[in-house]
Amino acid sequence: QVQLVESGGGSVQSGGSLRLSCAAFGSTYVSFAMSWFRQAPGKEREGVAAIDSDGSAVYADSVKGRFTISQDNAKNTLYLQMNSLKPEDTAMYYCAADYIPSYYSGDYYLRSANYNYWGQGTQVTVSS
């Protein structure tokens, strides 16, 4: 069993930055793929960034060049550094984890159906 706890959300103005954290509890953390998703009111949950089985970062086109995903295995923590935030980045941000076979790559890691473990979410609000 894996438990995920997000933190770091808040309200910022357009152009600002936030850093989200996701603490993972459970012995399988190291072998799991970890990712960030977001969901705005009235919209579907979308993948934002993930770290694949090779340790490479995968990003949605909408956040490339602005967001950076990273992880600290010693602390069992996943991070999302968000810079140059825009009002359209406003959403509830969720951390997700699950085992994904290494023969998958790229956008497979940004599909919510491929994850069974989810955090409770942290709200990010960007004002113009």
Side-chain angles (χ1 to χ4, degrees):
Q1 189 73 12
V2 175
Q3 292 183 320
L4 305 171
V5 180
E6 303 98 332
S7 61
S11 296
V12 296
Q13 290 190 329
S14 181
S17 298
L18 283 173
R19 188 194 195 200
L20 307 183
S21 298
C22 171
F25 302 92
S27 61
T28 54
Y29 170 74
V30 173
S31 63
F32 273 19
M34 301 287 293
S35 64
W36 288 98
F37 287 78
R38 67 186 181 187
Q39 188 167 19
K43 295 187 177 181
E44 293 186 356
R45 189 169 296 189
E46 64 171 344
V48 175
I51 295 180
D52 68 16
S53 58
D54 292 331
S56 298
V58 182
Y59 296 99
D61 289 343
S62 58
V63 305
K64 282 181 181 177
R66 300 188 298 122
F67 291 10
T68 302
I69 189 171
S70 62
Q71 63 183 22
D72 185 333
N73 288 335
K75 296 181 178 180
N76 284 1
T77 302
L78 183 74
Y79 302 100
L80 185 68
Q81 177 66 43
M82 305 185 295
N83 298 329
S84 302
L85 283 162
K86 305 175 181 180
E88 52 262 44
D89 294 319
T90 295
M92 185 71 78
Y93 282 70
Y94 298 90
C95 176
D98 213 325
Y99 173 71
I100 294 179
S102 60
Y103 48 79
Y104 289 108
S105 62
D107 289 349
Y108 189 89
Y109 287 81
L110 298 180
R111 299 174 191 168
S112 59
N114 296 329
Y115 295 87
N116 288 302
Y117 300 103
W118 293 86
Q120 82 288 351
T122 185
Q123 179 67 37
V124 171
T125 303
V126 184
S127 58
S128 58

